[in-house]
């Protein structure tokens, strides 16, 4: 009986192998045809943005389909066992191939539908577009029919140090190009950014499912100094690669300000577990303080501090406000604390609007805010003027971008040191179980107050730069929720979306939540609807966030058979709760 069953199983596996190979060859063939179709014209008129009428020279929209087709074909060849490509799919190829094929098809179909809607008729499509859609559908269907081959990744071979360094540099360079491509998309061509967003989303998901990102995480963990250096160099290189002046550098500056504030909130929410719904008020405190002491013409004080003094004053003011608000309220927990912090945020906004000399003292100029904040100047280097560096002209916003890189680096160091310190372990213990942590001797109130004050100070630092970038400060910039970040709702969403308790998580979340609304401004009233739908989908399929730490992965995927966790950044969450309590 046993021999019969074994023979039956072997027979089934033998008959399944040719079917799997045939489906994979269909994936590869469909990908090749899709790639070739991008060199054909997709429409006959240049009225559609991007000019898809040229043969032999793919337009940016067609390049997206080309990239998706090439990736799908490569992963399909990896699944076929082609020598030299096995490293692409260490945990199995079926899910990765299907997601990539589906993403390529979705991107191509969206472009074709956009042409029809924009130009008004199906006949506006050239045969190249039809070939692209049909060819892209073949890999999507074939890969869906593939049997699941998910497996545990085999231990990766240790590469030479020089090879790992080259991989890290190449990955960061590729990431910089991808980010720059997305930011530089012309606002007059919203179809390009939407298609880019579709392809990047599916491709990133496929890389995670294939296990490739875990291998990369292991490499970066072994070369932390190289990784940090590469990240800093690529970040500094961004403004030098901009060909459109300051148009998109301003977006990058605002992303860095948003991310810096989100990292401060991450201390409060991600590490200490305190739900703060009025955190944007601390950003406002820093901005208003800097505006009042930086020589603005409408300032009530008539003083002009150098920037370093204005930044320290803004941080100190935010820290004091954090202590003043936290001292009487941090004995509350959960929803009660959230309601109190929400009230503080609204009180701050209303108070800034009433300090106009009529409803209150003349300090903030009321709803009109404080305009004409002077540009920063360091040792004769005016941040409001263009400067030529290495033969490349940098605009005003590029100057502020480089300044925010330094501020971001400072905040990352503070977050990392605090999270890995004794107080950081105490924050984690409080977050996991405040009652148990208190029973083990941790002073919960003092620990939470430190988190609240530190988070407020970091937000205040970002606010001092924001005041000079915007050259004006008004109360409407610091609301709980609104269509434009940063506000308290978007800040909290950035922390949760990116991954609570990590460093890279809030940065990625902030970049997405600022960039997407900025690029989808043409949706107008439907922006928040799309944003809400995206958050619902994310919470459904990746509740731990885009870049989650080890603890979050285990909590949300403890029953997943294929869930594997590799060492990542040594955040305080990776320490056990018992260790946290003992250390505190």
């Amino acid at each position: 009986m046993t021999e019969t069953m074994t023979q039956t199983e072997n027979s089934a596996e033998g008959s399944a192998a040719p079917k799997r190979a045939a489906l994979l060859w269909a994936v590869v063939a469909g990908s090749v045809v899709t790639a070739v179709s991008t060199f054909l014209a997709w429409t006959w008129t240049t009225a559609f943005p991007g000019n898809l009428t040229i043969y032999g020279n793919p337009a940016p929209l067609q390049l997206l389909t080309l990239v998706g087709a090439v990736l799908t074909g490569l992963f399909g060849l990896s699944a076929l066992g082609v020598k030299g490509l096995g490293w692409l799919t260490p945990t199995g190829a079926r899910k990765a191939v299907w997601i990539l094929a589906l993403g390529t098809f979705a991107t191509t179909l969206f472009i074709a539908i956009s042409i029809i809607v924009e130009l008004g008729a199906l006949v506006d499509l050239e045969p190249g577009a039809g070939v692209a859609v049909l060819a892209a559908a073949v890999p999507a269907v074939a890969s869906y029919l593939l049997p699941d081959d998910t497996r545990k990744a085999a231990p990766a071979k240790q590469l030479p140090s020089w090879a790992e360094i080259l991989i890290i540099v190449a990955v960061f360079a590729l990431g910089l190009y991808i980010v720059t491509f997305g930011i530089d998309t012309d606002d007059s061509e919203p179809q390009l950014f939407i298609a880019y967003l579709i392809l990047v989303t599916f491709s990133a998901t496929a890389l995670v499912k294939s296990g490739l990102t875990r291998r990369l995480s292991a490499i970066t963990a072994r070369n932390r100094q190289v990784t940090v250096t590469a990240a800093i160099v690529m970040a500094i290189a961004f403004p030098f690669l901009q060909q459109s002046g300051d148009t998109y550098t301003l977006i990058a500056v605002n992303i860095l300000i948003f991310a810096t504030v989100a990292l401060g909130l991450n201390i409060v929410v991600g590490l200490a577990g305190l739900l703060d719904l009025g955190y944007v008020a601390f950003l406002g405190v820093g901005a208003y303080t800097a505006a009042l002491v930086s020589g603005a013409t409408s300032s009530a004080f008539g003083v002009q501090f150098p920037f370093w003094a204005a930044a320290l004053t803004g941080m100190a003011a935010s820290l004091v406000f954090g202590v003043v608000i936290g001292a009487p309220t941090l004995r509350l927990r959960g929803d009660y604390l959230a309601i109190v912090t929400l009230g503080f945020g609204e009180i701050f906004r209303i108070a800034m609007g009433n300090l106009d000399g009529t409803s209150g003292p003349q300090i903030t100029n009321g709803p009109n805010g404080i305009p004409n904040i002077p540009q920063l100047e360091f040792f004769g280097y005016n941040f409001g003027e263009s400067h030529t560096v290495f033969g490349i002209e940098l605009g005003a916003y590029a100057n502020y971008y480089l300044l925010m890189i330094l501020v971001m680096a400072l905040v990352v160091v503070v977050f990392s040191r605090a999270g890995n310190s004794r107080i950081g372990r105490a924050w984690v213990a409080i977050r996991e179980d405040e009652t148990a942590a208190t029973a083990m001797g941790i002073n919960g109130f003092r620990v939470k107050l430190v988190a609240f004050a530190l988070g407020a100070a970091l937000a205040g630092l970002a606010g001092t730069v924001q005041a000079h970038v915007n050259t004006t400060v008004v109360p409407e910039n610091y609301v709980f929720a609104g269509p434009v970040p940063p506000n308290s709702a978007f800040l909290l969403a950035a922390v949760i979306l990116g991954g609570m308790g990590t460093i890279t998580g809030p940065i990625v979340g902030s970049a997405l939540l600022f960039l997407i609304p900025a690029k989808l401004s043409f949706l107008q009233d439907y922006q928040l609807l799309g944003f809400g739908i995206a958050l619902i989908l994310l919470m459904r399929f990746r509740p731990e966030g885009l870049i989650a730490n080890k603890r979050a992965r285990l909590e949300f995927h403890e029953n997943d058979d294929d869930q594997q966790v590799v060492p990542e950044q040594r955040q305080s969450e990776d320490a056990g709760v018992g260790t946290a309590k003992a250390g505190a």
Side-chain angles (χ1 to χ4, degrees), residues 213-409:
T213 55
R214 294 172 188 167
R215 290 279 173 88
L216 179 61
S217 296
I219 292 175
T220 55
R222 290 194 296 267
N223 302 271
R224 293 187 182 277
Q225 293 182 348
V226 175
T227 302
V228 172
T229 303
I232 294 175
V233 170
M234 295 304 169
I236 294 175
F238 173 79
F240 293 92
L241 301 178
Q242 296 300 297
Q243 303 298 322
S244 53
D246 273 359
T247 303
Y248 301 113
T249 307
L250 176 59
I251 295 178
V253 173
N254 286 317
I255 287 174
L256 288 177
I257 293 173
F258 190 14
T260 302
V261 182
L263 277 173
L265 180 61
N266 199 22
I267 293 177
V268 180
V269 176
L271 296 183
L274 306 174
L275 183 57
D276 188 349
L277 298 183
Y279 188 76
V280 75
F282 298 122
L283 176 68
V285 171
Y288 266 100
T289 302
L292 290 171
V293 301
S294 295
T297 55
S298 56
S299 172
F301 299 148
V303 297
Q304 184 169 3
F305 291 178
F307 174 68
W308 64 268
L312 291 178
T313 306
M315 289 181 65
S318 296
L319 187 147
V320 169
F321 269 83
V323 173
V324 169
I325 298 302
T329 60
L330 287 178
R331 299 188 187 277
L332 301 174
R333 298 186 188 182
D335 298 339
Y336 300 100
L337 177 62
I339 292 171
V340 170
T341 55
L342 175 60
F344 162 65
E346 291 302 300
I347 290 171
F348 169 79
R349 179 181 61 84
I350 295 171
M352 294 301 102
N354 287 337
L355 298 178
D356 56 357
T358 301
S359 302
Q362 174 58 279
I363 298 178
T364 65
N365 205 24
N368 296 323
I370 303 176
N372 302 322
I373 301 172
Q375 301 290 342
L376 293 179
E377 187 170 343
F378 286 162
F379 303 106
Y381 187 95
N382 192 316
F383 278 61
E385 299 176 355
S386 298
H387 298 275
T388 301
V389 180
F390 302 123
I392 300 174
E393 185 176 354
L394 297 180
Y397 292 127
N399 300 326
Y400 284 106
Y401 172 87
L402 296 175
L403 174 62
M404 278 307 304
I405 290 292
L406 294 177
V407 174
M408 171 71 75

Side-chain angles (χ1 to χ4, degrees), residues 11 57 73 126 153 182 210 256 275 291-292 346 367 401 423 430 457 503 554 558 561 564:
S11 176
N57 186 19
E126 284 287 297
S210 68
L256 288 177
L275 183 57
L292 290 171
E346 291 302 300
Y401 172 87
I423 191 70
I430 289 291
I503 292 177
L554 293 176
E558 59 181 345
D561 294 335
Q564 301 176 48

